[in-house]
Amino acid sequence: MTRVHDVGGMHGFGPIDRDEVDEPFHHEWEARVFALNRLLLRAKVYNLDEFRHAIERMDPVAYLSASYYEKWFAGIERLLAEKGVTS
Amino acid sequence: MSDHGDGHGHEHDHAHDHASSATMSQRVAGLVATLERKGVVTGQQLDRAVEEFLAHAKPANGAAVVARAWVDPAFKARLLADANAAIEELGFDMRHWSYVKLRAVENTEHLHNVIVCTLCSCYPLSLLGPSPAWYKSVAYRSRVVRDPRGVLEEFGVTLDPGTEIEVWDSTAELRYLVVPRRPAGTEGMGEAELAKLVTRDSMIGTGLCAAPPR
């Protein structure tokens, strides 16, 4: 089954926008999400495949409308809930 | 789609309704507070992880690897054969998250390599630093595998029509580093000087290295 993250070869996403400020993080919260993921991976709360899979399981509409670190946050939230860490 | 801050509003940005940054900021703070309470992480650890990442992951690392490969054919051979072992000789590694295999792919007169991650955003972070927003965009991910030559032209890279283009799709377990061609006219330059010519985009394959203007 093809899911929405599997965009290789898909048409219609428009031109590549390279005009952005090349900063690693645009907001403080993005840096925190990045760091959180790194620490949770290191602590083996989940692994990289589980993280990727959590993002890939996002609702397609949510996937396409979320910014990069919003997707990460959604993945982290989901995994922590599924693993009973936050629930 | 890309990873904008607020208020950029390019007409072709499919940004839809990003949760506002203030909302995201609150949600992240809420989750961090919960995790602190449960003893999973501390805010201080998070700050340190960000600092560490920004201090150590930079394109100068990849550039040092490429420059060494340009001046030392034996190193280049080792790099192409076993990139993980070769970058360790220079003090770098790919173990920031968990073990990730690195493969170096060399540009030649007849072959140009480009990297992408069509499924997400896999990237050799420790060698190239934080990835640019366009690398993570669905526009780049979807199109570079279908029309690499057209995408490269947009990046200002026009290749000889006879040059073959190989597009490498990264995964969570296997990342790529492009070894760009050493520019002509740099024969007398030392390794450190050469490293300055190696751009991030040249190691993604969306750029070429140029000799310094005389």
Side-chain angles (χ1 to χ4, degrees):
Chain A
M1 187 182 76
T2 306
R3 286 185 298 188
V4 67
H5 67 280
D6 191 0
V7 300
M10 262 189 212
H11 288 255
F13 284 118
I16 297 161
D17 182 359
R18 295 198 291 133
D19 293 341
E20 298 178 48
V21 192
D22 258 339
E23 286 167 0
F25 306 111
H26 297 115
H27 301 284
E28 179 76 29
W29 69 263
E30 296 183 342
R32 287 230 136 181
V33 167
F34 175 89
L36 191 54
N37 185 47
R38 179 160 285 202
L39 291 180
L40 293 170
L41 284 165
R42 269 191 204 157
K44 303 198 190 301
V45 174
Y46 52 77
N47 66 38
L48 195 51
D49 289 322
E50 290 176 304
F51 174 63
R52 183 173 50 77
H53 188 231
I55 292 177
E56 292 166 5
R57 285 182 287 149
M58 281 176 76
D59 165 77
V61 175
Y63 180 91
L64 289 177
S65 59
S67 74
Y68 186 68
Y69 285 109
E70 281 169 15
K71 288 191 196 99
W72 278 39
F73 184 70
I76 294 168
E77 254 190 335
R78 181 195 280 249
L79 282 174
L80 291 177
E82 286 176 359
K83 289 180 175 284
V85 178
T86 49
S87 49
Chain B
M1 182 188 35
S2 48
D3 187 20
H4 277 283
D6 295 329
H8 285 253
H10 292 265
E11 56 183 348
H12 50 256
D13 181 26
H14 301 230
H16 309 298
D17 298 310
H18 286 188
S20 86
S21 194
T23 310
M24 282 308 298
S25 190
Q26 272 176 10
R27 290 178 62 193
V28 173
L31 180 61
V32 170
T34 304
L35 292 174
E36 282 197 304
R37 210 168 44 238
K38 297 189 178 258
V40 182
V41 293
T42 66
Q44 212 178 16
Q45 287 174 319
L46 292 173
D47 291 340
R48 220 178 308 130
V50 173
E51 282 165 26
E52 198 185 277
F53 169 65
L54 293 177
H56 296 293
K58 43 180 110 182
N61 298 348
V65 172
V66 169
R68 175 66 58 88
W70 283 349
V71 300
D72 180 347
F75 176 79
K76 187 169 86 180
R78 292 198 294 279
L79 180 68
L80 297 176
D82 181 351
N84 293 77
I87 66 169
E88 275 184 31
E89 294 178 30
L90 303 189
F92 306 124
D93 69 61
M94 298 287 289
R95 265 176 263 152
H96 288 269
W97 314 76
S98 49
Y99 179 81
V100 173
K101 188 169 163 53
L102 177 70
R103 179 160 172 203
V105 288
E106 186 191 14
N107 288 348
T108 66
E109 196 185 340
H110 304 292
L111 176 70
H112 183 89
N113 296 284
V114 188
I115 62 174
V116 63
C117 173
T118 62
L119 295 179
C120 43
S121 57
C122 300
Y123 188 77
L125 284 175
S126 58
L127 295 178
L128 298 190
S131 56
W134 56 259
Y135 184 85
K136 302 179 278 202
S137 72
V138 286
Y140 178 76
R141 288 159 48 198
S142 62
R143 201 146 61 81
V144 74
V145 290
R146 178 162 44 81
D147 178 23
R149 212 168 285 271
V151 168
L152 290 183
E153 296 232 340
E154 276 176 48
F155 279 81
V157 176
T158 304
L159 298 172
D160 186 277
T163 302
E164 192 184 332
I165 301 176
E166 190 119 40
V167 182
W168 300 90
D169 197 352
S170 316
T171 69
E173 292 87 27
L174 175 59
R175 313 276 161 104
Y176 297 92
L177 176 77
V178 174
V179 180
R181 294 178 70 193
R182 179 172 175 168
T186 59
E187 288 73 17
M189 290 173 67
E191 197 175 328
E193 259 183 301
L194 286 168
K196 292 187 193 137
L197 307 180
V198 183
T199 60
R200 179 197 68 197
D201 284 8
S202 74
M203 295 181 279
I204 299 175
T206 53
L208 302 174
C209 298
R214 306 212 160 219

